[in-house]
Amino acid sequence: TMIEIIQYTSQYKNSFKAINLEWLDGFGLTESHDLQILNDPEATILKTGGSIFLAKSEDEIVGTAAIIYEGNDMFELAKMAVVPAFQGKGISKLLLQKCINEAKQKGGRKMILFSNSRLKTALSLYEKNGFHFVDPEDSPFETADIKMELYL
C-alpha cells in the first residue's frame, strides 16, 4: 500500500497521541514532558514554529514525527513513531527526511534529538542519515541518555 506523508491537522490529535504513547509506554519511557506535548501539540509544537507530519496508509495514520523550534535556527526532532504492524517498511526514513527538509526550509541550521540507548533501530536510522552523538547534558527527559545532532 502507498504511504503518504501529510501535515498534521487537529482531527488527528488522538492518533498522534495514541501512536506515541503506545511505544513510550511499551518501553516504560513516558514522562510528563511527553504528555504536555501529546496533550496539546498545537500549542507546544505548531504555534512555536514547529511542524508535525503523519504517515498515512489508506485511511489509517501509521506513523508520526515532529520538529520543534528551539530558537537560534535549531530544531528538535521529536515524537517519531511508527505503529508495530507498519515497522520495517521504511516509513521512519520517509518521516525523518520530511522533517529534515522542513527544518531546512524554515531556515534551520541544526537539528538535535534526544533518545534512549535501548532504541537501537532508531539510533541506527539517525546515524545513517548523518546525525552524530553528542553529550546529552541538557536533556529535558529523565530517560534520555542519548543526544544526537545534525548540521543542516
Side-chain angles (χ1 to χ4, degrees):
T1 55
M2 271 290 297
I3 297 293
E4 192 188 356
I5 306 296
I6 61 167
Q7 288 264 8
Y8 172 91
T9 56
S10 55
Q11 75 188 91
Y12 298 118
K13 184 174 176 174
N14 291 341
S15 300
F16 179 65
K17 184 174 180 178
I19 289 169
N20 278 283
L21 282 181
E22 181 179 19
W23 82 263
L24 285 164
D25 288 348
F27 279 96
L29 296 174
T30 309
E31 297 183 30
S32 60
H33 186 66
D34 295 299
L35 294 172
Q36 271 178 321
I37 292 171
L38 295 173
N39 286 330
D40 197 350
E42 286 86 355
T44 54
I45 301 175
L46 300 177
K47 286 186 180 153
T48 53
S51 302
I52 303 170
F53 298 105
L54 304 168
K56 197 174 179 209
S57 171
E58 290 165 18
D59 291 330
E60 190 188 354
I61 300 301
V62 298
T64 73
I67 55 171
I68 301 173
Y69 186 57
E70 298 286 350
N72 298 323
D73 302 331
M74 184 169 81
F75 287 88
E76 180 190 345
L77 178 72
K79 303 292 161 266
M80 190 151 102
V82 174
V83 299
F86 282 81
Q87 288 171 8
K89 299 179 191 294
I91 296 172
S92 293
K93 186 178 180 183
L94 290 175
L95 285 163
L96 177 59
Q97 286 170 340
K98 184 74 180 171
C99 285
I100 291 171
N101 291 340
E102 178 83 352
K104 284 180 183 170
Q105 281 177 345
K106 287 178 178 252
R109 288 193 306 208
K110 184 169 148 180
M111 188 176 282
I112 60 164
L113 64 86
F114 295 98
S115 190
N116 182 282
S117 46
R118 284 185 288 163
L119 306 178
K120 303 288 184 220
T121 310
L123 297 176
S124 157
L125 173 72
Y126 302 143
E127 273 198 292
K128 280 185 193 130
N129 284 272
F131 282 86
H132 57 272
F133 294 94
V134 293
D135 181 7
E137 77 282 306
D138 55 350
S139 170
F141 298 99
E142 291 162 41
T143 55
D145 58 353
I146 298 281
K147 181 179 181 183
M148 299 181 84
E149 63 182 31
L150 171 72
Y151 285 94
L152 300 169

